[in-house]
């Protein structure tokens, strides 16, 4: 395996531990709106997705309507939701710093808005490592599982897809990276992660960021 030209990190679940907090709240909101969904359902089906795509799917497949301001209300509540309890994924800082020390380009590409990444990465002290290159699904026409976001990040950073690797934790994100023609390393330390789904999507599975340093040649 060749040394990658660009390492693209997902944010939630890869850099910062936010998925459980977010999906508990999402389950509450959806249930209140009449869409029967518990935490486990949201964790499996909506992790790694933008709220716009979640709303679109629900409203296209059911009679439930979440409201024209659903995404805005969701984003407005994030500072409070993530004001405490957000931590960096164990050992990910060490891997990011090893990539940087090796002179390999890297960035973050998330379904979340840049403003949310500023909150979560800021809470964990990782923001200074990523302020130079932050990409959001709001910058492209289609979010994950479509490849648009990762292709946009690679093009902006100046690298061909074949020279990029993606670090993901969601099935949608893994599908997006594979569709973009990139190698995808799929993190599944959380017991609620859909491990079988990640494997079926084509991800290279790992459950410890220290293991990732052995899987990805960075020197």
């Amino acid at each position: 395996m060749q040394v990658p030209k660009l390492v693209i990190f997902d944010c939630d679940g890869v850099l910062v531990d936010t998925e459980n907090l977010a999906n508990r709240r999402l389950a509450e909101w959806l249930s209140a709106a009449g869409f029967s969904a518990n935490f486990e359902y949201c964790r499996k089906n909506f992790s790694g997705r933008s709220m716009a795509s979640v709303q679109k799917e629900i409203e296209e497949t059911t009679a439930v309507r979440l409201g024209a301001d659903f995404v805005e209300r969701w984003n407005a509540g994030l500072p409070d939701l993530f004001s405490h309890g957000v931590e960096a994924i164990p050992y990910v800082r060490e891997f990011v710093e090893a990539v940087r020390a090796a002179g390999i380009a890297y960035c973050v590409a998330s379904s979340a808005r840049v403003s949310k990444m500023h909150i979560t990465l800021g809470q964990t002290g990782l923001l200074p490592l990523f302020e130079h290159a932050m990409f959001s699904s709001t910058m492209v026409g289609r979010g994950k599982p479509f490849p648009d976001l990762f292709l946009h990040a690679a093009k902006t950073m100046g690298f061909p897809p074949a020279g990029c690797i993606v670090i993901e934790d969601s099935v949608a994100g893994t599908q997006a990276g594979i569709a973009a023609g990139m190698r995808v390393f799929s993190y599944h330390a959380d017991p609620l992660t859909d491990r079988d789904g990640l494997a079926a999507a084509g991800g290279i599975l790992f459950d410890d960021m220290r293991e990732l340093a052995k899987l990805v040649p960075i020197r």
Side-chain angles (χ1 to χ4, degrees):
M1 189 178 290
Q2 293 182 326
V3 175
K5 304 288 187 186
L6 174 67
V7 179
I8 304 176
F9 292 88
D10 174 46
C11 189
D12 297 302
V14 169
L15 297 175
V16 295
D17 185 4
T18 57
E19 290 290 9
N20 289 343
L21 278 172
N23 281 293
R24 283 195 180 91
R25 175 170 285 186
L26 181 58
E28 293 172 0
W29 280 35
L30 295 181
S31 296
F35 181 82
S36 181
N38 59 20
F39 164 69
E40 289 76 15
Y41 180 91
C42 290
R43 187 73 175 78
K44 180 176 181 179
N45 293 281
F46 297 140
S47 288
R49 302 265 302 275
S50 69
M51 283 303 107
S53 74
V54 170
Q55 180 176 15
K56 186 171 185 285
E57 177 180 314
I58 289 172
E59 294 189 348
E60 286 183 348
T61 57
T62 73
V64 173
R65 293 295 174 264
L66 300 178
D69 63 343
F70 173 73
V71 174
E72 286 68 25
R73 286 189 293 113
W74 177 265
N75 286 307
L78 293 180
D80 174 65
L81 180 62
F82 298 131
S83 62
H84 51 79
V86 177
E87 297 180 354
I89 296 296
Y91 306 107
V92 75
R93 174 185 283 275
E94 289 84 346
F95 181 73
V96 175
E97 291 181 339
V99 169
R100 184 173 68 163
I104 298 170
Y106 69 93
C107 63
V108 59
S110 172
S111 294
R113 295 185 178 193
V114 172
S115 57
K116 178 190 172 185
M117 287 189 272
H118 272 275
I119 295 168
T120 57
L121 293 174
Q123 284 284 332
T124 54
L126 293 173
L127 184 58
L129 292 171
F130 286 95
E131 282 182 302
H132 70 285
M134 304 174 75
F135 300 96
S136 164
S137 63
T138 59
M139 300 173 179
V140 294
R142 303 177 301 176
K144 305 171 187 179
F146 295 100
D148 305 31
L149 176 58
F150 292 139
L151 292 173
H152 171 66
K155 183 177 181 180
T156 304
M157 297 291 286
F159 298 99
C164 303
I165 67 168
V166 172
I167 316 300
E168 262 289 350
D169 72 309
S170 72
V171 174
T174 299
Q175 291 170 331
I178 295 297
M182 303 174 182
R183 286 172 290 162
V184 182
F185 294 82
S186 301
Y187 181 61
H188 63 91
D190 188 321
L192 293 173
T193 299
D194 185 0
R195 189 179 187 279
D196 292 341
L198 294 174
I204 300 167
L205 304 189
F206 72 104
D207 62 4
D208 190 313
M209 287 296 170
R210 292 171 294 186
E211 182 185 350
L212 183 60
K214 301 172 186 174
L215 292 173
V216 179
I218 56 176
R219 285 186 172 83

